[in-house]
Amino acid sequence: MIKGLHHVAIAVNDLDSAVKVLEAAFGLKVSHIEEVQEQKVKVAFIPLGDTRLEIMEPTSEDSTVAKFLANRGEGLHHIALHAGDAAEALREAGEAGVRLIDKVARDGAHGTRVGFVHPKSTFGCLFELVEDKK
Ligand code: CO
């Protein structure tokens, strides 16, 4: 059901300066930057072999990422697992007894379908289940 690591997301206060640091330090390159309205974030995508880094900056005070930054500061925000079917993966996780943030899959960046599992159920780590565009 889970095919691998889809991406790792980092929350930052300032996307442009964060991207400059990562590009200079590791020779990485941003492929594009996109605003994800649904989550009120601006995201820089950095390809990394079969996976990628996503650097996120909130675009609104009421973004969950803004709240995360206020509470915990910059850092690792979530780990995204590549699911064949996000709705099915959420259902299975729920049946296994973990708490879900999203009971049903919703739209993510690039036409993906995504759902989040509550970090209280998974050792403080926020997991996202991602199904790529068909
Ligand atoms: Co994500």
Side-chain angles (χ1 to χ4, degrees):
M1 194 40 138
I2 298 301
K3 299 173 173 179
L5 180 66
H6 194 277
H7 62 269
V8 172
I10 298 169
V12 300
N13 293 316
D14 180 340
L15 190 72
D16 294 336
S17 54
V19 157
K20 279 192 190 109
V21 169
L22 294 172
E23 287 187 335
F26 306 127
L28 299 172
K29 268 276 162 264
V30 169
S31 60
H32 70 288
I33 293 177
E34 180 178 330
E35 199 167 321
V36 183
Q37 302 276 1
E38 178 94 13
Q39 293 167 49
K40 296 178 181 162
V41 286
K42 192 164 75 171
V43 185
F45 297 86
I46 302 178
L48 208 59
D50 289 337
T51 184
R52 66 181 187 234
L53 288 177
E54 292 189 5
I55 314 303
M56 306 187 298
E57 176 195 313
T59 54
S60 163
E61 299 257 308
D62 64 351
S63 160
T64 57
V65 175
K67 285 170 197 151
F68 175 92
L69 286 167
N71 291 334
R72 299 175 59 169
E74 294 179 305
L76 179 64
H77 184 267
H78 65 267
I79 291 175
L81 302 177
H82 188 189
D85 181 322
E88 180 75 1
L90 279 171
R91 194 182 56 74
E92 286 181 0
E95 279 176 9
V98 303
R99 203 166 127 198
L100 304 177
I101 291 174
D102 297 304
K103 303 265 185 284
V104 293
R106 56 189 164 93
D107 290 336
H110 314 300
T112 55
R113 297 287 290 165
V114 305
F116 285 89
V117 173
H118 202 288
K120 285 234 160 72
S121 291
T122 46
F123 324 103
C125 184
L126 176 60
F127 280 96
E128 179 182 17
L129 298 162
V130 184
E131 171 186 343
D132 278 329
K133 190 177 188 170
K134 296 222 161 66

mmCIF file of all heavy atoms in Angstrom, residues 66-116:
data_model
loop_
_atom_site.group_PDB
_atom_site.id
_atom_site.type_symbol
_atom_site.label_atom_id
_atom_site.label_comp_id
_atom_site.label_asym_id
_atom_site.label_seq_id
_atom_site.Cartn_x
_atom_site.Cartn_y
_atom_site.Cartn_z
ATOM 1 N N ALA A 66 1.623 28.415 10.460
ATOM 2 C CA ALA A 66 1.930 29.599 11.286
ATOM 3 C C ALA A 66 1.825 29.233 12.764
ATOM 4 O O ALA A 66 2.663 29.625 13.577
ATOM 5 C CB ALA A 66 0.986 30.744 10.947
ATOM 6 N N LYS A 67 0.818 28.436 13.099
ATOM 7 C CA LYS A 67 0.637 28.010 14.496
ATOM 8 C C LYS A 67 1.786 27.093 14.933
ATOM 9 O O LYS A 67 2.300 27.199 16.036
ATOM 10 C CB LYS A 67 -0.709 27.302 14.675
ATOM 11 C CG LYS A 67 -1.862 28.301 14.662
ATOM 12 C CD LYS A 67 -3.227 27.617 14.585
ATOM 13 C CE LYS A 67 -4.283 28.631 14.162
ATOM 14 N NZ LYS A 67 -5.386 28.016 13.424
ATOM 15 N N PHE A 68 2.174 26.207 14.026
ATOM 16 C CA PHE A 68 3.304 25.309 14.303
ATOM 17 C C PHE A 68 4.560 26.124 14.593
ATOM 18 O O PHE A 68 5.276 25.873 15.569
ATOM 19 C CB PHE A 68 3.521 24.390 13.080
ATOM 20 C CG PHE A 68 4.727 23.494 13.179
ATOM 21 C CD1 PHE A 68 4.626 22.223 13.704
ATOM 22 C CD2 PHE A 68 5.972 23.928 12.729
ATOM 23 C CE1 PHE A 68 5.745 21.386 13.783
ATOM 24 C CE2 PHE A 68 7.090 23.105 12.806
ATOM 25 C CZ PHE A 68 6.971 21.831 13.342
ATOM 26 N N LEU A 69 4.844 27.133 13.763
ATOM 27 C CA LEU A 69 6.043 27.961 13.935
ATOM 28 C C LEU A 69 5.987 28.727 15.258
ATOM 29 O O LEU A 69 7.002 28.843 15.953
ATOM 30 C CB LEU A 69 6.184 28.940 12.766
ATOM 31 C CG LEU A 69 6.632 28.316 11.437
ATOM 32 C CD1 LEU A 69 6.436 29.305 10.289
ATOM 33 C CD2 LEU A 69 8.091 27.866 11.503
ATOM 34 N N ALA A 70 4.802 29.222 15.595
ATOM 35 C CA ALA A 70 4.645 29.981 16.845
ATOM 36 C C ALA A 70 4.893 29.072 18.053
ATOM 37 O O ALA A 70 5.524 29.476 19.028
ATOM 38 C CB ALA A 70 3.260 30.600 16.913
ATOM 39 N N ASN A 71 4.429 27.824 17.972
ATOM 40 C CA ASN A 71 4.548 26.897 19.102
ATOM 41 C C ASN A 71 5.900 26.212 19.190
ATOM 42 O O ASN A 71 6.426 26.004 20.274
ATOM 43 C CB ASN A 71 3.482 25.800 19.012
ATOM 44 C CG ASN A 71 2.094 26.340 19.242
ATOM 45 O OD1 ASN A 71 1.928 27.356 19.922
ATOM 46 N ND2 ASN A 71 1.104 25.683 18.669
ATOM 47 N N ARG A 72 6.429 25.835 18.044
ATOM 48 C CA ARG A 72 7.616 24.963 18.068
ATOM 49 C C ARG A 72 8.818 25.520 17.353
ATOM 50 O O ARG A 72 9.905 24.952 17.420
ATOM 51 C CB ARG A 72 7.243 23.595 17.468
ATOM 52 C CG ARG A 72 6.138 22.929 18.286
ATOM 53 C CD ARG A 72 5.622 21.647 17.700
ATOM 54 N NE ARG A 72 6.632 20.620 17.530
ATOM 55 C CZ ARG A 72 6.358 19.353 17.234
ATOM 56 N NH1 ARG A 72 5.111 18.977 17.100
ATOM 57 N NH2 ARG A 72 7.326 18.486 17.062
ATOM 58 N N GLY A 73 8.636 26.613 16.620
ATOM 59 C CA GLY A 73 9.744 27.192 15.867
ATOM 60 C C GLY A 73 9.967 26.448 14.564
ATOM 61 O O GLY A 73 9.249 25.491 14.237
ATOM 62 N N GLU A 74 10.969 26.875 13.820
ATOM 63 C CA GLU A 74 11.250 26.260 12.519
ATOM 64 C C GLU A 74 11.716 24.817 12.715
ATOM 65 O O GLU A 74 12.319 24.485 13.727
ATOM 66 C CB GLU A 74 12.347 27.048 11.803
ATOM 67 C CG GLU A 74 11.913 28.462 11.427
ATOM 68 C CD GLU A 74 13.018 29.236 10.739
ATOM 69 O OE1 GLU A 74 14.120 29.332 11.324
ATOM 70 O OE2 GLU A 74 12.789 29.745 9.632
ATOM 71 N N GLY A 75 11.483 23.995 11.699
ATOM 72 C CA GLY A 75 11.984 22.631 11.772
ATOM 73 C C GLY A 75 11.163 21.658 10.962
ATOM 74 O O GLY A 75 10.281 22.050 10.187
ATOM 75 N N LEU A 76 11.466 20.370 11.179
ATOM 76 C CA LEU A 76 10.758 19.301 10.477
ATOM 77 C C LEU A 76 9.264 19.402 10.763
ATOM 78 O O LEU A 76 8.854 19.445 11.925
ATOM 79 C CB LEU A 76 11.296 17.945 10.949
ATOM 80 C CG LEU A 76 10.633 16.713 10.333
ATOM 81 C CD1 LEU A 76 10.886 16.658 8.827
ATOM 82 C CD2 LEU A 76 11.158 15.451 11.000
ATOM 83 N N HIS A 77 8.464 19.481 9.727
ATOM 84 C CA HIS A 77 7.021 19.634 9.913
ATOM 85 C C HIS A 77 6.273 18.324 9.697
ATOM 86 O O HIS A 77 5.464 17.924 10.506
ATOM 87 C CB HIS A 77 6.477 20.712 8.975
ATOM 88 C CG HIS A 77 5.022 20.995 9.177
ATOM 89 N ND1 HIS A 77 4.034 20.362 8.455
ATOM 90 C CD2 HIS A 77 4.384 21.807 10.058
ATOM 91 C CE1 HIS A 77 2.855 20.794 8.879
ATOM 92 N NE2 HIS A 77 3.035 21.672 9.839
ATOM 93 N N HIS A 78 6.542 17.638 8.580
ATOM 94 C CA HIS A 78 5.906 16.330 8.390
ATOM 95 C C HIS A 78 6.694 15.451 7.428
ATOM 96 O O HIS A 78 7.533 15.919 6.677
ATOM 97 C CB HIS A 78 4.455 16.469 7.924
ATOM 98 C CG HIS A 78 4.268 17.096 6.562
ATOM 99 N ND1 HIS A 78 4.068 18.427 6.377
ATOM 100 C CD2 HIS A 78 4.227 16.546 5.332
ATOM 101 C CE1 HIS A 78 3.914 18.681 5.086
ATOM 102 N NE2 HIS A 78 4.014 17.549 4.419
ATOM 103 N N ILE A 79 6.387 14.158 7.518
ATOM 104 C CA ILE A 79 6.948 13.146 6.632
ATOM 105 C C ILE A 79 5.790 12.625 5.798
ATOM 106 O O ILE A 79 4.746 12.264 6.341
ATOM 107 C CB ILE A 79 7.587 12.008 7.453
ATOM 108 C CG1 ILE A 79 8.844 12.533 8.152
ATOM 109 C CG2 ILE A 79 7.909 10.800 6.572
ATOM 110 C CD1 ILE A 79 9.498 11.542 9.079
ATOM 111 N N ALA A 80 5.962 12.642 4.480
ATOM 112 C CA ALA A 80 4.873 12.212 3.606
ATOM 113 C C ALA A 80 5.196 10.858 2.994
ATOM 114 O O ALA A 80 6.254 10.652 2.395
ATOM 115 C CB ALA A 80 4.645 13.239 2.506
ATOM 116 N N LEU A 81 4.266 9.933 3.184
ATOM 117 C CA LEU A 81 4.407 8.591 2.624
ATOM 118 C C LEU A 81 3.636 8.521 1.313
ATOM 119 O O LEU A 81 2.542 9.084 1.187
ATOM 120 C CB LEU A 81 3.851 7.560 3.615
ATOM 121 C CG LEU A 81 4.494 7.563 5.003
ATOM 122 C CD1 LEU A 81 3.798 6.537 5.907
ATOM 123 C CD2 LEU A 81 5.992 7.273 4.911
ATOM 124 N N HIS A 82 4.227 7.831 0.347
ATOM 125 C CA HIS A 82 3.606 7.699 -0.967
ATOM 126 C C HIS A 82 2.594 6.555 -0.930
ATOM 127 O O HIS A 82 2.972 5.386 -0.831
ATOM 128 C CB HIS A 82 4.708 7.423 -1.999
ATOM 129 C CG HIS A 82 4.244 7.464 -3.399
ATOM 130 N ND1 HIS A 82 5.030 7.074 -4.446
ATOM 131 C CD2 HIS A 82 3.074 7.863 -3.934
ATOM 132 C CE1 HIS A 82 4.341 7.220 -5.570
ATOM 133 N NE2 HIS A 82 3.163 7.695 -5.280
ATOM 134 N N ALA A 83 1.329 6.915 -0.980
ATOM 135 C CA ALA A 83 0.259 5.910 -0.937
ATOM 136 C C ALA A 83 -0.311 5.723 -2.343
ATOM 137 O O ALA A 83 -0.438 6.678 -3.098
ATOM 138 C CB ALA A 83 -0.840 6.370 0.011
ATOM 139 N N GLY A 84 -0.652 4.490 -2.678
ATOM 140 C CA GLY A 84 -1.289 4.239 -3.965
ATOM 141 C C GLY A 84 -2.665 4.896 -4.010
ATOM 142 O O GLY A 84 -3.064 5.474 -5.016
ATOM 143 N N ASP A 85 -3.366 4.832 -2.894
ATOM 144 C CA ASP A 85 -4.720 5.364 -2.791
ATOM 145 C C ASP A 85 -4.842 6.030 -1.413
ATOM 146 O O ASP A 85 -4.866 5.353 -0.389
ATOM 147 C CB ASP A 85 -5.717 4.206 -2.937
ATOM 148 C CG ASP A 85 -7.165 4.655 -2.879
ATOM 149 O OD1 ASP A 85 -7.495 5.572 -2.085
ATOM 150 O OD2 ASP A 85 -7.993 4.079 -3.614
ATOM 151 N N ALA A 86 -4.887 7.361 -1.408
ATOM 152 C CA ALA A 86 -4.857 8.107 -0.138
ATOM 153 C C ALA A 86 -6.089 7.799 0.726
ATOM 154 O O ALA A 86 -5.968 7.638 1.943
ATOM 155 C CB ALA A 86 -4.748 9.607 -0.401
ATOM 156 N N ALA A 87 -7.255 7.708 0.090
ATOM 157 C CA ALA A 87 -8.486 7.454 0.840
ATOM 158 C C ALA A 87 -8.403 6.094 1.537
ATOM 159 O O ALA A 87 -8.744 5.954 2.714
ATOM 160 C CB ALA A 87 -9.691 7.499 -0.101
ATOM 161 N N GLU A 88 -7.931 5.101 0.805
ATOM 162 C CA GLU A 88 -7.788 3.743 1.326
ATOM 163 C C GLU A 88 -6.732 3.694 2.447
ATOM 164 O O GLU A 88 -6.941 3.054 3.477
ATOM 165 C CB GLU A 88 -7.368 2.824 0.154
ATOM 166 C CG GLU A 88 -7.160 1.373 0.500
ATOM 167 C CD GLU A 88 -8.462 0.607 0.704
ATOM 168 O OE1 GLU A 88 -9.544 1.216 0.552
ATOM 169 O OE2 GLU A 88 -8.381 -0.579 1.049
ATOM 170 N N ALA A 89 -5.620 4.398 2.245
ATOM 171 C CA ALA A 89 -4.551 4.425 3.254
ATOM 172 C C ALA A 89 -5.053 5.080 4.544
ATOM 173 O O ALA A 89 -4.742 4.619 5.644
ATOM 174 C CB ALA A 89 -3.323 5.156 2.714
ATOM 175 N N LEU A 90 -5.860 6.134 4.415
ATOM 176 C CA LEU A 90 -6.435 6.793 5.598
ATOM 177 C C LEU A 90 -7.386 5.846 6.322
ATOM 178 O O LEU A 90 -7.371 5.754 7.545
ATOM 179 C CB LEU A 90 -7.212 8.044 5.183
ATOM 180 C CG LEU A 90 -6.423 9.319 4.926
ATOM 181 C CD1 LEU A 90 -7.338 10.379 4.320
ATOM 182 C CD2 LEU A 90 -5.768 9.845 6.195
ATOM 183 N N ARG A 91 -8.190 5.160 5.548
ATOM 184 C CA ARG A 91 -9.157 4.230 6.128
ATOM 185 C C ARG A 91 -8.436 3.126 6.911
ATOM 186 O O ARG A 91 -8.788 2.814 8.050
ATOM 187 C CB ARG A 91 -10.040 3.621 5.030
ATOM 188 C CG ARG A 91 -11.289 2.897 5.541
ATOM 189 C CD ARG A 91 -12.092 2.264 4.414
ATOM 190 N NE ARG A 91 -11.301 1.337 3.601
ATOM 191 C CZ ARG A 91 -10.909 0.120 3.991
ATOM 192 N NH1 ARG A 91 -11.257 -0.328 5.173
ATOM 193 N NH2 ARG A 91 -10.181 -0.642 3.189
ATOM 194 N N GLU A 92 -7.379 2.587 6.306
ATOM 195 C CA GLU A 92 -6.623 1.513 6.970
ATOM 196 C C GLU A 92 -5.949 2.016 8.244
ATOM 197 O O GLU A 92 -5.929 1.318 9.258
ATOM 198 C CB GLU A 92 -5.583 0.921 6.012
ATOM 199 C CG GLU A 92 -6.244 0.052 4.949
ATOM 200 C CD GLU A 92 -5.248 -0.586 3.995
ATOM 201 O OE1 GLU A 92 -4.022 -0.350 4.147
ATOM 202 O OE2 GLU A 92 -5.688 -1.324 3.099
ATOM 203 N N ALA A 93 -5.398 3.229 8.183
ATOM 204 C CA ALA A 93 -4.738 3.802 9.366
ATOM 205 C C ALA A 93 -5.779 3.993 10.482
ATOM 206 O O ALA A 93 -5.514 3.669 11.649
ATOM 207 C CB ALA A 93 -4.054 5.120 9.019
ATOM 208 N N GLY A 94 -6.944 4.491 10.111
ATOM 209 C CA GLY A 94 -8.015 4.682 11.095
ATOM 210 C C GLY A 94 -8.441 3.367 11.710
ATOM 211 O O GLY A 94 -8.631 3.264 12.922
ATOM 212 N N GLU A 95 -8.547 2.339 10.882
ATOM 213 C CA GLU A 95 -8.945 1.013 11.370
ATOM 214 C C GLU A 95 -7.897 0.421 12.312
ATOM 215 O O GLU A 95 -8.228 -0.349 13.201
ATOM 216 C CB GLU A 95 -9.183 0.057 10.195
ATOM 217 C CG GLU A 95 -10.562 0.254 9.571
ATOM 218 C CD GLU A 95 -10.774 -0.616 8.337
ATOM 219 O OE1 GLU A 95 -9.918 -1.502 8.058
ATOM 220 O OE2 GLU A 95 -11.795 -0.395 7.664
ATOM 221 N N ALA A 96 -6.640 0.817 12.090
ATOM 222 C CA ALA A 96 -5.556 0.311 12.948
ATOM 223 C C ALA A 96 -5.529 1.051 14.282
ATOM 224 O O ALA A 96 -4.733 0.727 15.156
ATOM 225 C CB ALA A 96 -4.207 0.452 12.231
ATOM 226 N N GLY A 97 -6.375 2.065 14.403
ATOM 227 C CA GLY A 97 -6.521 2.736 15.690
ATOM 228 C C GLY A 97 -5.803 4.066 15.825
ATOM 229 O O GLY A 97 -5.817 4.655 16.897
ATOM 230 N N VAL A 98 -5.156 4.546 14.765
ATOM 231 C CA VAL A 98 -4.516 5.857 14.890
ATOM 232 C C VAL A 98 -5.549 6.951 14.596
ATOM 233 O O VAL A 98 -6.501 6.756 13.839
ATOM 234 C CB VAL A 98 -3.253 6.034 13.995
ATOM 235 C CG1 VAL A 98 -2.215 4.970 14.279
ATOM 236 C CG2 VAL A 98 -3.600 6.081 12.534
ATOM 237 N N ARG A 99 -5.332 8.088 15.255
ATOM 238 C CA ARG A 99 -6.247 9.212 15.104
ATOM 239 C C ARG A 99 -5.948 9.916 13.787
ATOM 240 O O ARG A 99 -4.785 10.110 13.429
ATOM 241 C CB ARG A 99 -6.005 10.168 16.274
ATOM 242 C CG ARG A 99 -7.166 11.055 16.595
ATOM 243 C CD ARG A 99 -6.885 11.678 17.970
ATOM 244 N NE ARG A 99 -7.002 13.115 17.881
ATOM 245 C CZ ARG A 99 -6.489 13.955 18.775
ATOM 246 N NH1 ARG A 99 -5.771 13.493 19.784
ATOM 247 N NH2 ARG A 99 -6.673 15.248 18.645
ATOM 248 N N LEU A 100 -6.999 10.297 13.078
ATOM 249 C CA LEU A 100 -6.818 10.959 11.787
ATOM 250 C C LEU A 100 -7.143 12.440 11.900
ATOM 251 O O LEU A 100 -8.099 12.815 12.582
ATOM 252 C CB LEU A 100 -7.745 10.329 10.744
ATOM 253 C CG LEU A 100 -7.633 8.815 10.536
ATOM 254 C CD1 LEU A 100 -8.672 8.354 9.517
ATOM 255 C CD2 LEU A 100 -6.230 8.431 10.077
ATOM 256 N N ILE A 101 -6.355 13.265 11.242
ATOM 257 C CA ILE A 101 -6.724 14.682 11.106
ATOM 258 C C ILE A 101 -7.743 14.784 9.972
ATOM 259 O O ILE A 101 -8.748 15.480 10.092
ATOM 260 C CB ILE A 101 -5.479 15.550 10.818
ATOM 261 C CG1 ILE A 101 -4.580 15.584 12.054
ATOM 262 C CG2 ILE A 101 -5.905 16.962 10.406
ATOM 263 C CD1 ILE A 101 -3.260 16.290 11.849
ATOM 264 N N ASP A 102 -7.477 14.082 8.890
ATOM 265 C CA ASP A 102 -8.395 14.053 7.747
ATOM 266 C C ASP A 102 -9.086 12.695 7.681
ATOM 267 O O ASP A 102 -8.428 11.673 7.491
ATOM 268 C CB ASP A 102 -7.615 14.279 6.440
ATOM 269 C CG ASP A 102 -6.968 15.642 6.402
ATOM 270 O OD1 ASP A 102 -7.684 16.643 6.559
ATOM 271 O OD2 ASP A 102 -5.735 15.713 6.227
ATOM 272 N N LYS A 103 -10.392 12.721 7.828
ATOM 273 C CA LYS A 103 -11.135 11.457 7.725
ATOM 274 C C LYS A 103 -11.223 11.018 6.258
ATOM 275 O O LYS A 103 -11.304 9.845 5.953
ATOM 276 C CB LYS A 103 -12.557 11.618 8.268
ATOM 277 C CG LYS A 103 -12.597 12.110 9.714
ATOM 278 C CD LYS A 103 -12.705 10.965 10.709
ATOM 279 C CE LYS A 103 -12.876 11.441 12.137
ATOM 280 N NZ LYS A 103 -11.611 11.943 12.739
ATOM 281 N N VAL A 104 -11.235 12.022 5.382
ATOM 282 C CA VAL A 104 -11.259 11.735 3.948
ATOM 283 C C VAL A 104 -10.129 12.509 3.276
ATOM 284 O O VAL A 104 -9.685 13.544 3.773
ATOM 285 C CB VAL A 104 -12.617 12.121 3.299
ATOM 286 C CG1 VAL A 104 -13.732 11.235 3.817
ATOM 287 C CG2 VAL A 104 -12.946 13.579 3.547
ATOM 288 N N ALA A 105 -9.658 11.982 2.131
ATOM 289 C CA ALA A 105 -8.568 12.633 1.410
ATOM 290 C C ALA A 105 -9.046 13.966 0.828
ATOM 291 O O ALA A 105 -10.223 14.128 0.508
ATOM 292 C CB ALA A 105 -8.074 11.714 0.301
ATOM 293 N N ARG A 106 -8.112 14.917 0.728
ATOM 294 C CA ARG A 106 -8.444 16.219 0.131
ATOM 295 C C ARG A 106 -7.366 16.601 -0.881
ATOM 296 O O ARG A 106 -6.353 15.901 -1.009
ATOM 297 C CB ARG A 106 -8.597 17.272 1.219
ATOM 298 C CG ARG A 106 -7.376 17.413 2.114
ATOM 299 C CD ARG A 106 -7.707 18.324 3.293
ATOM 300 N NE ARG A 106 -6.766 18.238 4.375
ATOM 301 C CZ ARG A 106 -5.705 19.043 4.518
ATOM 302 N NH1 ARG A 106 -5.424 19.955 3.608
ATOM 303 N NH2 ARG A 106 -4.897 18.912 5.549
ATOM 304 N N ASP A 107 -7.578 17.714 -1.564
ATOM 305 C CA ASP A 107 -6.628 18.119 -2.602
ATOM 306 C C ASP A 107 -5.336 18.674 -2.007
ATOM 307 O O ASP A 107 -5.370 19.463 -1.077
ATOM 308 C CB ASP A 107 -7.250 19.203 -3.494
ATOM 309 C CG ASP A 107 -8.355 18.644 -4.371
ATOM 310 O OD1 ASP A 107 -8.328 17.422 -4.635
ATOM 311 O OD2 ASP A 107 -9.231 19.419 -4.797
ATOM 312 N N GLY A 108 -4.199 18.231 -2.578
ATOM 313 C CA GLY A 108 -2.893 18.767 -2.199
ATOM 314 C C GLY A 108 -2.273 19.465 -3.408
ATOM 315 O O GLY A 108 -2.960 19.723 -4.396
ATOM 316 N N ALA A 109 -0.970 19.758 -3.330
ATOM 317 C CA ALA A 109 -0.266 20.411 -4.436
ATOM 318 C C ALA A 109 -0.195 19.478 -5.645
ATOM 319 O O ALA A 109 -0.264 18.249 -5.492
ATOM 320 C CB ALA A 109 1.136 20.803 -3.992
ATOM 321 N N HIS A 110 -0.055 20.012 -6.842
ATOM 322 C CA HIS A 110 0.102 19.276 -8.116
ATOM 323 C C HIS A 110 -0.970 18.231 -8.362
ATOM 324 O O HIS A 110 -0.650 17.130 -8.802
ATOM 325 C CB HIS A 110 1.381 18.438 -8.209
ATOM 326 C CG HIS A 110 2.622 19.091 -7.785
ATOM 327 N ND1 HIS A 110 3.109 20.215 -8.379
ATOM 328 C CD2 HIS A 110 3.506 18.752 -6.820
ATOM 329 C CE1 HIS A 110 4.246 20.526 -7.782
ATOM 330 N NE2 HIS A 110 4.499 19.670 -6.843
ATOM 331 N N GLY A 111 -2.186 18.497 -7.985
ATOM 332 C CA GLY A 111 -3.250 17.528 -8.272
ATOM 333 C C GLY A 111 -3.163 16.243 -7.466
ATOM 334 O O GLY A 111 -3.739 15.226 -7.845
ATOM 335 N N THR A 112 -2.424 16.270 -6.345
ATOM 336 C CA THR A 112 -2.359 15.075 -5.504
ATOM 337 C C THR A 112 -3.611 15.015 -4.612
ATOM 338 O O THR A 112 -4.342 15.997 -4.481
ATOM 339 C CB THR A 112 -1.121 15.121 -4.565
ATOM 340 O OG1 THR A 112 -1.155 16.333 -3.819
ATOM 341 C CG2 THR A 112 0.167 15.031 -5.365
ATOM 342 N N ARG A 113 -3.827 13.854 -4.023
ATOM 343 C CA ARG A 113 -4.845 13.696 -2.979
ATOM 344 C C ARG A 113 -4.079 13.362 -1.703
ATOM 345 O O ARG A 113 -3.186 12.511 -1.723
ATOM 346 C CB ARG A 113 -5.816 12.561 -3.319
ATOM 347 C CG ARG A 113 -6.616 12.801 -4.581
ATOM 348 C CD ARG A 113 -7.699 13.846 -4.423
ATOM 349 N NE ARG A 113 -8.779 13.362 -3.570
ATOM 350 C CZ ARG A 113 -9.715 14.174 -3.038
ATOM 351 N NH1 ARG A 113 -9.673 15.476 -3.254
ATOM 352 N NH2 ARG A 113 -10.670 13.661 -2.298
ATOM 353 N N VAL A 114 -4.402 14.059 -0.621
ATOM 354 C CA VAL A 114 -3.617 13.899 0.601
ATOM 355 C C VAL A 114 -4.498 13.778 1.835
ATOM 356 O O VAL A 114 -5.667 14.189 1.828
ATOM 357 C CB VAL A 114 -2.648 15.102 0.801
ATOM 358 C CG1 VAL A 114 -1.763 15.289 -0.416
ATOM 359 C CG2 VAL A 114 -3.397 16.387 1.120
ATOM 360 N N GLY A 115 -3.924 13.244 2.901
ATOM 361 C CA GLY A 115 -4.603 13.196 4.191
ATOM 362 C C GLY A 115 -3.550 13.107 5.280
ATOM 363 O O GLY A 115 -2.494 12.499 5.086
ATOM 364 N N PHE A 116 -3.842 13.734 6.430
ATOM 365 C CA PHE A 116 -2.884 13.742 7.538
ATOM 366 C C PHE A 116 -3.360 12.870 8.690
ATOM 367 O O PHE A 116 -4.558 12.799 8.988
ATOM 368 C CB PHE A 116 -2.664 15.168 8.042
ATOM 369 C CG PHE A 116 -1.803 16.006 7.122
ATOM 370 C CD1 PHE A 116 -2.383 16.740 6.093
ATOM 371 C CD2 PHE A 116 -0.430 16.046 7.282
ATOM 372 C CE1 PHE A 116 -1.597 17.514 5.238
ATOM 373 C CE2 PHE A 116 0.366 16.811 6.439
ATOM 374 C CZ PHE A 116 -0.219 17.550 5.415
#
